Amino acid sequence: GPIGDREPPPVYFSTASMRASSSTERAGALSASRFWSSWATLLAPMSEIAGRMAVQVGAVALQRQSDIQGGRGVLLGGVPGVAPGRVVILGGGVVGTQAAKMAVGTGAEVSILDKSLPRLRELDDLFGGRVRTLYASAAEVEQAVLGADLVVGAVLVPGAAAPKLLTRAQVVRMQPGAELESQPHDPGT
């Protein structure tokens, strides 16, 4: 039924779930599709919040310049005479897009890395050239991360554990005081 004034989203089926051979298998596929559709309905708003919060939390941490609290003393938007902070977002899905919106809003220099060229094109159109979109090759990820003030990990592989995007050696080589915010939003992790 309706939720408040809104109708629930439609249930979509993959070709694989419609190829079930018996009516029992089709009913099972239908139940699974409804379950995942409902889960996605709940997951999207949580991912939007997580993406936005990653930049907010990272920005506050970057401002703290002391031996005890870390941080680089960086203001993401910069000020006249001082370059803006560099934000690198690994993953261009819901979390990554929301993180990019927040980071662009602060005036930071933003790069989004993803393995999907169609998604990178969509992001380039969405942000009108205000972000750098880069294919997430190992070399590109390493180069971007090592020059970043704030790195947001926003990659989700549905049904799998959160992927390891960076090696320990890369994290150690990041700029002193750089911040790393990881936002995998998968119930299996």
Side-chain angles (χ1 to χ4, degrees):
I3 302 170
D5 292 334
R6 296 180 355 194
E7 288 292 321
V11 177
Y12 296 99
F13 304 99
S14 71
T15 349
S17 51
M18 295 312 290
R19 288 186 184 147
S21 59
S22 72
S23 60
T24 305
E25 288 173 338
R26 279 193 298 275
L30 176 64
S31 296
S33 293
R34 283 191 178 146
F35 170 79
W36 288 112
S37 176
S38 297
W39 181 251
T41 302
L42 294 174
L43 189 60
M46 293 184 330
S47 296
E48 290 173 359
I49 292 167
R52 289 175 179 249
M53 288 297 297
V55 172
Q56 242 179 304
V57 169
V60 169
L62 280 171
Q63 294 172 22
R64 299 181 183 153
Q65 188 174 20
S66 73
D67 290 338
I68 298 170
Q69 302 207 339
R72 303 193 67 221
V74 171
L75 183 62
L76 284 182
V79 293
V82 178
R86 290 177 307 277
V87 177
V88 171
I89 300 166
L90 303 176
V94 175
V95 173
T97 300
Q98 295 303 317
K101 286 180 178 181
M102 285 295 281
V104 166
T106 68
E109 180 184 302
V110 181
S111 298
I112 304 172
L113 290 89
D114 199 283
K115 290 200 174 234
S116 168
L117 290 175
R119 182 61 184 155
L120 290 172
R121 286 184 193 99
E122 289 173 4
L123 292 166
D124 193 55
D125 286 344
L126 176 67
F127 288 102
R130 293 175 301 180
V131 302
R132 287 182 26 199
T133 53
L134 303 166
Y135 182 78
S137 68
E140 231 15 279
V141 168
E142 181 168 12
Q143 182 179 358
V145 165
L146 295 181
D149 296 303
L150 172 61
V151 177
V152 177
V155 175
L156 168 68
V157 179
K164 308 293 187 263
L165 304 174
L166 303 173
T167 65
R168 188 176 309 274
Q170 288 170 324
V171 172
V172 168
R173 290 176 38 224
M174 288 173 64
Q175 297 184 63
E179 291 296 320
L180 179 60
E181 295 290 327
S182 181
Q183 299 296 324
H185 276 270
D186 181 3
T189 60

